[in-house]
Amino acid sequence: MAIERVGVVGGGQMGAGIAEVAALAGCDVIVHEISADACEASRSRIECSLEKAVSRGKLETDDRDAAVARLGFSTDYADQADRQLVIEAVTESE
């Protein structure tokens, strides 16, 4: 069974990296965050990383655009319900 739909809970440095790799591999990815501001920060982190890869010649712009199109961000856990794989990457802070 091929994994096509991935969820990532937490879009910090590690979660963003996981989401980026999954999107580049062709998976539909939803990143869960605690707020709309955190969703925007996660999106920015991933897009910045992809842009760096393009500027360094390691990624084509079409591949970057396709990966960005496969990324979704949400604050509702229900959006993870159809994911085949969910990876937790939440900051462990009491």
Side-chain angles (χ1 to χ4, degrees):
M1 174 178 159
I3 303 232
E4 299 172 346
R5 296 180 314 278
V6 175
V8 180
V9 180
Q13 186 172 357
M14 183 179 286
I18 293 166
E20 179 180 338
V21 169
L24 285 170
C27 295
D28 176 58
V29 180
I30 295 179
V31 178
H32 175 84
E33 276 291 0
I34 60 171
S35 69
D37 288 342
C39 285
E40 200 52 45
S42 295
R43 176 185 302 279
S44 177
R45 188 174 293 115
I46 295 168
E47 289 179 356
C48 181
S49 176
L50 290 168
E51 189 56 42
K52 283 181 186 177
V54 169
S55 69
R56 293 178 180 159
K58 296 184 178 195
L59 185 65
E60 297 295 323
T61 57
D62 290 346
D63 294 330
R64 177 205 56 208
D65 295 344
V68 168
R70 288 190 282 270
L71 290 166
F73 298 84
S74 175
T75 58
D76 186 355
Y77 278 117
D79 292 335
Q80 300 288 345
D82 71 338
R83 304 290 97 180
Q84 296 166 296
L85 173 67
V86 177
I87 301 167
E88 178 270 328
V90 176
T91 302
E92 295 180 12
S93 173
E94 293 184 29

